[in-house]
Amino acid sequence: MEEQTDDLAALLDLLPPDLRAAAAALDPEQVVEFVLDRGRPATARLDHGRAELASVPLEQADLDAVASRVGAFSADNRAGVEGTLHRIAAIRNRQGRIIGLTLRVGRAAHGIVDPIHDVVAAGESLLLLGRPGVGKTTLLRETARVLADECDRRVVIIDTAGEIAGDGDIPHPAIGSARRMPVADPRQQDRVMIEAVENHMPEVIIVDEIGTEAEARAARTIAERGVQLVATAHGHSLENLLRNPVLDDLVGGVQTVILGDDEARARGGQKTVQERRGPPAFTAVVEIVQRGELRLHPSTARSVDRLLAGRAPRCEMRTAAESGAGAPPPAEETGLPEGAESSAPEVGPRGRTRILSYGVSRDSVDRVIRTEGLPAETVPDPGRTDLVLALRSRAADPRLQRLVDTSAVPLVTVKKNSTAQIRRALADALNQVHGVDDETVSAVVREVEEAVNRVRQEGEVVPLSPAQGAVRRLQHRIVVRHGLVAESQGSGNQRHLVVLPSTPDAG
């Protein structure tokens, strides 16, 4: 359960008296930051929207008064409020005078790490990605506390401008017993990272905002020394990071390879391909989609290899509501573009029905899945689909008929490419996977639990008996609950799940 704490009063005390009352009247849980610009009214940015604190534009004297109450600004124009996690950032004119201030609310959120507690506690080096303001630093801070206090590890935080452990010489209690090494000049962050490893024997290094080639090299050096590294980096997603030549080495790097004629023919005729350059510095990656919703790549190497091959990476959606510390929540596989009449659809290897659009707008299908919360995703690969959604006018296409006949996947049609029809068709199709009788449930549970025990004892793949789609879905949920992985194999009446020891490594 996530619990947020802050000291908003300390931040409000920095504001001019005429703005303080208006700011204090806002819902404190919704306030993200206060924006003060010369010549404009002061505003508060909220989780949803913004609020004007006054109608009168701010004068230079107002900004100077706020700045005088703040500690010294570092080289990157950031400062803090001693004893808190709040951050103040300055905008200066060409003469160096402050003409704008952003007062960001800093919070300690206990429980926010629960969705990935199992990965953190297992000692995985973890890279956190996400858009600005989505909560990367908050998650990093709580991860440091959990590793130091609950996992009893020697944790050292590389704290540039007091971003993680707050301003002042005494770290904020939010980091628990973790130690903090301040970095006065952001240009020296890579040097302090290496110094921490060489001087203080940490088991874990925590770093916020890896953004330069030197910092990426330092991260690889730390990983090669066997130290667990948890960090954030500039990038919204793993795919986005791969396009950054400065930071792609964090996840293995990218190189162009020229293939021989035989290998090129085997790969479909391409003479040049992109491949991963080496092992990633971070074994796992977490994309923060929004607060409380995370997308975990449990094997960075495997996800990168699939992305470079033009395939969807295997990842798990984890949410705060579904998880408990130490136990992985239900997982799912995500996918990527496009192109009623059969039995219930199968589900993908991580519990979601994979849908191939045929003449139907993939964006519309994605929108319906998202707004209706359906256990499904769209995929581009006909060989990985569990359900085909097609326009009725295209149902007789020879290519579509071959796909349905050879893969034995259900075909669902809609008359028009409209959101309403797509919503009804998917709701009807996906509901067919429910409805397993009690006797079947008991037999399924016994078989799956016996298979799970064999996998754990022998470390080998164990197949389950062929079963209908609804039964396979139930089997899959039981396997995931035990922290293992299940994948579908076979076709037709021989379609069945196999239980795997863990997510397969890249290679």
Side-chain angles (χ1 to χ4, degrees), residues 16 37-40 56-65 98-99:
D37 288 328
R38 179 181 173 182
R40 294 179 176 178
V56 180
L58 291 167
E59 298 181 357
Q60 185 64 53
D62 297 318
L63 295 175
D64 291 342
I98 293 175
I99 57 172

Side-chain angles (χ1 to χ4, degrees), residues 358-360 389-395 400 412-417:
Y358 196 92
V360 179
L389 180 66
L391 281 177
R392 195 165 298 166
S393 61
R394 303 279 298 275
L400 176 59
V412 175
T413 62
V414 291
K415 186 176 181 180
K416 294 181 180 179
N417 207 340

